[in-house]
């Protein structure tokens, strides 16, 4: 191996160390509904997407809206387990369904409460986050498409990609991890606002510190130095034996 190759290898290791947390991922799983009066007992696609999302994070919790009273509307203040506070603004209110559906295909994922909205609503965070995930219920049966826009200086628009013109009662999970663009706000849109109503539950957020551990930059540099040192030591021993 030439010296130039060694230098290239070392610079590559430094680059990997610098970008060890740099990633943007989305997670999506959807289970179609069985009608407005039927609650899905299981939703394997959504659950798998949620599990994949959570596998990239450590120490996060979900807001399940159980502490709010029925009919409570924005602004709603939420304190997440990582100490980040959030304020829900815009349209929407807390709905309560203990069993079955609300008669229109919507129901909670956890407990008895969920957040119901049709128009635009946003969530503002007290500190930058890099991960956000949620369950959506009864989305798309009246041709509505959910969009999510993150904001922190620059904005990034995501199309959730739910199916449309389907039976009521569907469940989806959508999650985003974007360590390249930490954000302090996320806004949800509805392409058929006022007609297609959505249920939301189990909001989960994560900070950069809660992204699953990768080798620290310093550790990767030491590993690189060790590899380079091992090469020269092997080369030296090879010459001595010649």
């Amino acid at each position: 191996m030439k010296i130039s190759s060694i230098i290239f290898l070392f610079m590559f290791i430094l680059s990997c160390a610098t970008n060890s947390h740099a990633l943007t991922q989305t997670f999506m799983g959807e289970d179609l509904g069985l009608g407005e009066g039927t609650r899905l007992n299981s939703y394997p696609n959504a659950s798998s997407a949620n599990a994949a999302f959570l596998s990239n994070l450590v120490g996060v919790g979900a807001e399940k809206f159980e502490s709010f009273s029925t009919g409570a509307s924005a602004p709603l203040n939420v304190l997440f387990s990582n100490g980040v506070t959030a304020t829900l603004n815009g349209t929407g209110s807390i709905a309560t369904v203990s069993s079955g559906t609300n008669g229109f295909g919507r129901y909670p994922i956890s407990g008895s409460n969920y957040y119901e909205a049709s128009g635009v609503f946003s969530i503002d965070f007290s500190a930058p986050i890099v991960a956000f995930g949620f369950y959506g219920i009864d989305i798309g049966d009246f041709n509505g498409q959910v969009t999510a826009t993150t904001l922190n200086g620059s904005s990034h628009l995501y199309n959730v990609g739910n199916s449309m013109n389907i039976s009521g009662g569907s469940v989806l999970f959508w999650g985003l991890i974007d360590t390249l663009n930490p954000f302090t706000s996320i806004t949800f849109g509805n392409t058929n606002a006022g007609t297609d109503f959505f249920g939301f539950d189990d909001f989960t957020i994560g900070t950069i510190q809660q992204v699953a551990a990768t080798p620290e930059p310093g550790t990767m540099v030491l590993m690189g130095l060790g590899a380079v040192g091992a090469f020269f030591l092997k080369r030296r021993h090879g010459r001595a034996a010649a």
Side-chain angles (χ1 to χ4, degrees):
M1 185 182 291
K2 297 181 179 180
I3 297 298
S4 60
S5 298
I6 293 295
I7 294 173
F8 175 80
L9 173 62
F10 186 63
M11 294 303 294
F12 176 75
I13 292 169
L14 284 176
S15 175
C16 290
T18 302
N19 295 287
S20 60
H21 275 294
L23 58 89
T24 301
Q25 295 176 282
T26 57
F27 305 81
M28 167 64 172
E30 181 184 50
D31 298 273
L32 300 183
L34 300 176
E36 295 184 344
T38 303
R39 180 193 291 227
L40 293 183
N41 294 320
S42 64
Y43 21 88
N45 296 328
S47 297
S48 293
N50 179 47
F53 171 74
L54 293 176
S55 72
N56 289 272
L57 304 169
V58 293
V60 297
E63 173 54 51
K64 302 177 180 181
F65 302 108
E66 294 306 296
S67 63
F68 294 96
S69 59
T70 304
S73 58
L76 297 177
N77 296 317
V78 175
L79 174 62
F80 287 90
S81 59
N82 55 13
V84 177
T85 58
T87 302
L88 277 69
N89 295 300
T91 64
S93 61
I94 300 297
T96 301
V97 176
S98 299
S99 62
T101 76
N102 69 340
F104 300 99
R106 294 180 291 282
Y107 49 90
I109 296 298
S110 302
S112 299
N113 287 355
Y114 63 95
Y115 190 74
E116 183 172 283
S118 179
V120 174
F121 72 95
S122 63
I123 309 173
D124 299 320
F125 305 100
S126 62
I129 65 170
V130 299
F132 186 91
F134 70 93
Y135 277 96
I137 307 97
D138 194 45
I139 292 177
D141 55 338
F142 284 89
N143 208 34
Q145 182 67 239
V146 178
T147 62
T149 303
T150 60
L151 180 65
N152 186 11
S154 60
S155 62
H156 298 269
L157 172 65
Y158 299 89
N159 189 330
V160 169
N162 59 273
S163 300
M164 295 190 291
N165 291 324
I166 56 177
S167 297
S170 64
V171 173
L172 67 78
F173 177 86
W174 187 84
L176 166 70
I177 298 177
D178 187 359
T179 60
L180 292 171
N181 303 286
F183 49 96
T184 55
S185 176
I186 186 167
T187 298
F188 288 95
N190 179 350
T191 61
N192 200 13
T195 299
D196 205 347
F197 285 76
F198 305 152
F200 296 87
D201 207 357
D202 287 20
F203 285 174
T204 302
I205 70 169
T207 63
I208 186 67
Q209 293 81 9
Q210 291 177 302
V211 175
T214 57
E216 292 297 327
T219 301
M220 295 186 71
V221 171
L222 289 175
M223 291 169 61
L225 288 172
V228 172
F231 166 77
F232 280 112
L233 182 62
K234 182 178 179 181
R235 187 176 183 185
R236 180 179 177 184
H237 286 170
R239 286 179 175 176

